Amino acid sequence: MTPGLEFLEVLPSEEWAGRVAADLVACLRANPRLRLCLPTGDTPAPVYMSLVDALARGEASLGQATILLLDEYVGLPADDPARCDARLRRELIDRVDPPPMAFHPVRVDESAPEEAAADLDAIAADGLDLTLLGLGANGHVGMNEPGSTADSPTRVIPLTEPTREVATERYGARRAPVAGITLGLDRILASRQVWLLVTGERKAEVLARALLGPEDPGCPASFLRRHPRLRVIADEPAATALDSTR
Ligand code: PGA
């Protein structure tokens, strides 16, 4: 364990997703009524695949759990391949039986963006047991883009160029979204537990910045270190820049 980084766990790439899924199963067994906030993206996708398998084997159930979506694009039609709600349904929600007791997507189709953000915030205000996060190459968590601070609220936020590019180039958005709705860092930090999931060498530098640099709105993930029950669960390639600075 690295001094000062007691919250960091580094796992071999081939074990990473299975271990995170196993930990989620353990949480669900300990508290079947878990209130869970979940991200989408390439990082959590293999975790969901592994979790679906574990749930199919009867190791735990989402049947009494509540799932809240961490963030969503504004202005993408419901059938856009990059939509976060559709992706979480595809990768997890629609693949488990029983389904979660409640799934709260961000209501971007039914409501004005500010109203949808307020709805998301109200659901989170009822309390979150566990929030999972990916890490953006620009240091964002959820869509708390650079400039966000520990007390940033749930809100509509303009997206930075790298985030817009990821939406079109990696997630297949038909047009680049200009804004998103994200759970605020304030609510993320109020979640009982936070797990930051980080994989791949291309995240190595930003992970080092988030964990070793000063708290910095330029790298909003750096504020997560304030959380008393933070776990950073990285694979070995993502942790390479931490090694070189030890
Ligand atoms: P990724 O995205 O998991 O697809 O790399 C992470 C993020 O930008 O939050």
Side-chain angles (χ1 to χ4, degrees):
M1 198 180 285
T2 310
L5 295 183
E6 285 76 14
F7 47 70
L8 173 67
E9 297 159 56
V10 181
L11 303 172
S13 296
E14 61 280 10
E15 287 174 26
W16 182 86
R19 297 265 295 268
V20 177
D23 287 356
L24 280 170
V25 163
C27 287
L28 280 166
R29 288 173 72 94
N31 176 13
R33 299 180 61 81
L34 205 65
R35 288 177 60 83
L36 191 56
C37 182
L38 293 180
T40 52
D42 294 343
T43 307
V47 173
Y48 298 149
M49 204 181 286
S50 196
L51 181 62
V52 165
D53 290 345
L55 299 181
R57 291 192 299 268
E59 292 177 17
S61 168
L62 284 169
Q64 296 178 66
T66 295
I67 293 180
L68 179 63
L69 186 61
L70 175 68
D71 53 13
E72 184 60 275
Y73 298 109
V74 172
L76 294 187
D79 66 349
D80 191 283
R83 276 279 293 257
C84 302
D85 52 1
R87 185 164 186 180
L88 194 62
R89 283 198 177 95
R90 224 165 39 233
E91 293 180 355
L92 180 68
I93 309 286
D94 291 349
R95 299 183 59 205
V96 296
D97 185 21
M101 186 186 74
F103 170 49
H104 298 286
V106 185
R107 299 167 58 84
V108 281
D109 301 321
E110 301 86 347
S111 314
E114 287 73 18
E115 216 176 299
D119 283 353
L120 172 68
D121 195 58
I123 297 161
D126 286 341
L128 293 170
D129 295 305
L130 172 59
T131 298
L132 265 57
L133 301 168
L135 175 62
N138 65 355
H140 74 202
V141 284
M143 292 180 191
N144 288 282
E145 295 276 49
S148 303
T149 57
D151 56 6
S152 288
T154 303
R155 66 208 184 283
V156 183
I157 182 164
L159 297 179
T160 60
E161 202 47 45
T163 302
R164 303 179 68 209
E165 264 174 41
V166 166
T168 49
E169 284 166 25
R170 280 207 282 123
Y171 303 161
R174 289 188 207 104
R175 61 169 186 264
V178 293
I181 292 174
T182 186
L183 189 70
L185 266 167
D186 62 348
R187 295 283 182 217
I188 291 171
L189 290 170
S191 176
R192 280 185 195 90
Q193 288 194 61
V194 174
W195 298 359
L196 178 66
L197 309 180
V198 196
T199 55
E201 202 175 347
R202 70 192 167 80
K203 298 287 175 68
E205 259 178 51
V206 68
L207 182 61
R209 210 174 144 206
L211 301 191
L212 303 174
E215 280 193 347
D216 175 11
C219 181
S222 63
F223 293 105
L224 297 176
R225 297 180 327 221
R226 292 187 183 189
H227 196 286
R229 294 187 68 192
L230 171 68
R231 293 176 72 192
V232 178
I233 315 175
D235 71 354
E236 282 166 351
T240 46
L242 299 171
D243 285 340
S244 64
T245 52
R246 269 177 206 175

